[in-house]
Amino acid sequence: QTGPFAAGAQIDGTIDSGAFSDPPHRRLTLDAALKRQLDWEGKATDKWGIPFRASGLVSYDRLIDEKWTNGTRHKQRWSVGEGDSAVAETIAAAQYLASERANLAPRRLILSCQGVDAYQYQECVSEVLKVATPVDWIGLGGWCIIGMRQTWMPTFWQTMRLVLPQIRAAGVQHIHIFGVLFLK
């Protein structure tokens, strides 16, 4: 093999679901979102000339800190009532990815969770943990808004106080906090 990579080398990485880039009218089905991730592995391998395998795949969540108006996305947190549908989609996506666990091995599953307030978030985590295993990661989404609006920090801390012990009690030892996080 030519190039900077040794023979037998492989690149490992995590592939996000792509949900951030999908406007509401172009949302994918859960199986299409997973297919897009797996197709990306092949495209990366072809482009880079070295085998790429995702060590982690993220479930296809529904974002709750951005709204679309007339085809334009803007940073605005949903209300708790609006968030109910996004949480239901996020839970369904984690359940779907977990149902594909055997087909996706040896990749790690990163099961997304979110909610508008701490209690809605805790409900989402509770449901996602029902399909999680100790080797999975829990993805904590919906926090990139903090980079722009630090007024959400109390909600962030309240949420962490509720969900981190819950995640640990389930035996899951890894989390990933998505987005830009502002911490003093």
Side-chain angles (χ1 to χ4, degrees), residues 4-181:
F5 301 108
Q10 176 176 304
I11 296 175
D12 293 323
T14 297
I15 301 178
D16 202 346
S17 70
F20 179 80
S21 302
D22 294 342
H25 66 281
R26 290 201 350 233
R27 292 271 306 166
L28 301 176
T29 63
L30 297 176
D31 55 320
L34 177 57
K35 182 180 181 325
R36 174 173 62 186
Q37 289 170 299
L38 297 175
D39 288 349
W40 199 94
E41 283 182 325
K43 290 175 187 174
T45 294
D46 292 344
K47 184 166 186 73
W48 297 333
I50 186 168
F52 177 88
R53 160 125 310 141
S55 57
L57 294 171
V58 179
S59 59
Y60 190 62
D61 59 351
R62 180 68 175 226
L63 307 172
I64 49 91
D65 62 351
E66 298 184 329
K67 291 188 177 184
W68 290 80
T69 307
N70 299 323
T72 302
R73 176 174 42 197
H74 55 98
K75 195 58 84 180
Q76 182 181 349
R77 191 78 156 188
W78 295 20
S79 70
V80 172
E82 291 168 323
D84 286 341
S85 64
V87 167
E89 285 184 54
T90 298
I91 292 166
Q95 291 168 336
Y96 173 76
L97 197 62
S99 77
E100 294 293 317
R101 184 182 307 282
N103 299 328
L104 298 173
R107 299 170 191 90
R108 174 184 309 108
L109 305 185
I110 303 168
L111 305 174
S112 294
C113 299
Q114 63 181 326
V116 176
D117 69 9
Y119 301 105
Q120 187 178 57
Y121 213 114
Q122 184 181 35
E123 291 173 19
C124 183
V125 169
S126 293
E127 291 302 310
V128 169
L129 286 172
K130 290 178 182 178
V131 298
T133 69
V135 298
D136 294 333
W137 288 29
I138 297 297
L140 302 177
W143 299 115
C144 61
I145 198 166
I146 293 174
M148 294 176 63
R149 298 197 181 92
Q150 288 83 42
T151 57
W152 281 96
M153 284 303 297
T155 302
F156 171 78
W157 290 120
Q158 180 186 23
T159 302
M160 293 304 110
R161 283 190 292 276
L162 288 174
V163 304
L164 293 179
Q166 187 179 3
I167 293 167
R168 181 69 176 142
V172 176
Q173 297 186 24
H174 291 91
I175 64 165
H176 178 80
I177 301 174
F178 292 103
V180 177
L181 185 60

